[in-house]
Amino acid sequence: MGAQASTDDGEGPDGTGMSASEVDCGNARASESVRAGGSARVGEGAGEEAALHAVSSAVLAVTRHLSVREVLQVIVRAAARLLDARYAALGVPDDQGSFAEFVVEGITSAQWERIGPMPRQHGMLAAMLRDNEPKRLADIRLDPEFEGWPAAHPVLKDFLGVPIRDGDEVLGIIFLANRRNPPSSAAGRPEPDAEPGFCERDEELLTLFAAHAAIAITNARLYEANRELTVVAERTRLARELHDAVAQKLFSLRLTARAASALAERDPARAVQELDQVERLAADALAELRAVIFELRPADLADGLAASLRKHAEVLDRAFEAHVTCDVEGVPDLPEEHELVLFRIAQEALHNALRHAGARTVRVRLVSRADAVTLEVADDGRGIAPFDTPANGASGGGRNGAETGPGKGDTPGNGGSNGLGLVSMRDRACSIAGTLSIDTAPGRGTVIRVEVAL
């Protein structure tokens, strides 16, 4: 939580993917259209098209990101470029009269430190939150709501502020100050005798952009909430594994050790047998604990998804009695986040096959084609009962098939040892707009397949 200063005018390290020229190129094209067409009506239409192109570029830059912090940073940068503003800021209010997040553009980190602590909800900021309406001022210093600023604060003059709303809820306020150049007409040409400052058309564009920004912020919040729920689900699964696999074996080991102690004097031969059992239980408990610890290790994808899957399969092949193989066809070109999600899904599927299904053979396949990447984990284990798979599955070929993805119903079943893991895989696949399908039947093994479009 906190404030962030940003001054990068090119493509920044946050990966906005939008340069200032992309936002301004629409206006250049509009001017060319006016000169070539010779018609005022055509020129106005081209100017409107250029404005929408600029808004579209800004929106696309925002929607590339899923982290709330990144989304706020890109919104501020895109808004400043959209309307050629020297300064821009976005505040997300909290319940204590301050701001949970406050992101700025046009101020260096050193300047921000000299300005002082994060602003409170007072003056013009409070007025915008209270009125929930856009504010456009020729000189903010002359407005009755203005209450001044810290000594190190840059001098602001022309001002445009717009609330970012989700229905009746104000998600934040975005405001711009000190337009660099006079606004253009609808045809993309400079207005004759126009003074610097924001015009009514600027207010309309920023309001349109704020509506899209609200969607991006809401989506990012939902994504982060889903990730938190996934973490909780993972912790619950691991707690269950520790109880079912390790705690029960340690309890049995303790009882067997007591029995051996009691038999030591009157039946030494029987005591030796019990001690052998203690040794086996201790070895099993150690193996189970190592497996759980192995799953907790962070994924190392430095060598890419394909190499990491091969390495993971080799380790599991040595650690378990089952034969685990990995085949790769083509090298997928995926974002790092997508690779991590697919790796985690493969981990979960392998865990289910080796720890629950009693599989003797498990095969991992990664296939990269022109339009999609497919990950498949197939085993010859005992399979999954229909009520263990996500609901609304469609049967096919005598096997239980369940397909999940964006827009498909897939609530978890009514129990089963694998239900939580399947839901976790489903959520991960949906987070990267992938499709998860499960082909299984009791006694006939399981094939888990994830497909992600390129």
Side-chain angles (χ1 to χ4, degrees), residues 286-296 320 351 355:
L286 180 60
E288 295 281 1
L289 189 57
R290 281 176 174 169
V292 172
I293 293 173
F294 179 76
E295 291 171 20
L296 288 173
F320 290 86
H351 172 273
R355 300 284 293 280

Side-chain angles (χ1 to χ4, degrees), residues 1-5 69 72 76 88-93 98-104 107 112 118-120 125 153 173 175:
M1 309 292 269
Q4 176 79 23
R69 162 61 66 174
L72 297 179
V76 169
L90 190 158
V92 177
S98 184
F99 289 89
E101 298 277 2
F102 201 87
V103 184
V104 298
I107 298 177
W112 184 255
M118 188 179 299
R120 305 283 298 174
L125 300 179
H153 197 285
I173 50 175
F175 52 90

Side-chain angles (χ1 to χ4, degrees), residues 401-441:
E403 183 172 320
T404 68
K408 294 182 174 65
D410 44 12
T411 53
N414 296 323
S417 60
N418 296 327
L420 185 60
L422 297 179
V423 172
S424 173
M425 287 188 284
R426 179 275 317 272
D427 290 341
R428 290 183 188 277
C430 288
S431 73
I432 57 173
T435 300
L436 174 74
S437 62
I438 304 169
D439 186 14
T440 185

Side-chain angles (χ1 to χ4, degrees), residues 359-375:
R360 289 179 292 182
T361 301
V362 186
R363 183 187 181 194
V364 181
R365 291 183 67 240
L366 182 66
V367 180
S368 178
R369 294 191 172 87
D371 58 343
V373 172
T374 303
L375 170 69

Side-chain angles (χ1 to χ4, degrees), residues 136-388:
R136 178 164 50 90
L137 306 170
D139 192 335
I140 187 176
R141 297 168 295 183
L142 303 180
D143 192 88
E145 300 283 0
F146 177 69
E147 295 182 1
W149 43 57
H153 197 285
V155 176
L156 308 183
K157 186 184 177 186
D158 46 296
F159 175 92
L160 175 60
V162 171
I164 300 175
R165 292 187 291 246
D166 179 18
D168 295 331
E169 179 187 3
V170 177
L171 302 179
I173 50 175
I174 184 168
F175 52 90
L176 311 178
N178 297 16
R179 205 185 204 285
R180 288 188 175 92
N181 297 298
S184 301
S185 68
R189 295 170 294 185
E191 290 281 10
D193 303 323
E195 296 182 0
F198 299 99
C199 64
E200 182 178 357
R201 186 162 169 269
D202 291 338
E203 182 179 324
E204 293 173 354
L205 287 177
L206 188 59
T207 301
L208 175 63
F209 178 64
H212 290 280
I215 298 172
I217 292 174
T218 301
N219 181 59
R221 286 179 172 178
L222 290 172
Y223 175 76
E224 291 193 349
N226 182 66
R227 290 185 64 181
E228 291 174 3
L229 290 174
T230 300
V231 170
V232 172
E234 289 290 315
R235 288 175 177 172
T236 302
R237 183 183 66 79
L238 287 171
R240 187 190 65 216
E241 289 296 327
L242 286 171
H243 175 268
D244 293 348
V246 180
Q248 291 184 10
K249 281 186 172 61
L250 291 176
F251 181 73
S252 298
L253 187 152
R254 183 183 179 188
L255 293 179
T256 306
R258 282 183 178 179
S261 177
L263 293 168
E265 292 185 2
R266 68 173 185 267
D267 193 347
R270 177 78 180 279
V272 170
Q273 293 177 0
E274 294 295 331
L275 288 175
D276 289 341
Q277 178 68 6
V278 166
E279 183 181 2
R280 285 194 296 272
L281 288 171
D284 289 346
L286 180 60
E288 295 281 1
L289 189 57
R290 281 176 174 169
V292 172
I293 293 173
F294 179 76
E295 291 171 20
L296 288 173
R297 292 171 58 190
D300 180 12
L301 298 176
D303 297 328
L305 177 61
S308 298
L309 284 174
R310 287 195 186 101
K311 187 187 303 181
H312 191 65
E314 290 172 1
V315 172
L316 293 178
D317 187 56
R318 293 194 300 268
F320 290 86
E321 293 182 2
H323 183 46
V324 183
T325 62
C326 179
D327 299 323
V328 176
E329 298 178 22
V331 179
D333 184 15
L334 291 170
E336 183 178 347
E337 179 186 356
H338 286 42
E339 288 194 342
L340 181 58
V341 168
L342 289 175
F343 185 80
R344 291 302 190 196
I345 292 174
Q347 275 187 312
E348 183 67 46
L350 286 164
H351 172 273
N352 286 344
L354 297 170
R355 300 284 293 280
H356 298 302
R360 289 179 292 182
T361 301
V362 186
R363 183 187 181 194
V364 181
R365 291 183 67 240
L366 182 66
V367 180
S368 178
R369 294 191 172 87
D371 58 343
V373 172
T374 303
L375 170 69
E376 183 179 285
V377 180
D379 69 71
D380 61 355
R382 63 176 61 97
I384 307 173
F387 54 79
D388 284 343

Side-chain angles (χ1 to χ4, degrees), residues 381-386 389 396-401 438-447:
R382 63 176 61 97
I384 307 173
T389 59
R399 297 168 66 85
N400 178 66
I438 304 169
D439 186 14
T440 185
R444 299 178 61 182
T446 301
V447 178

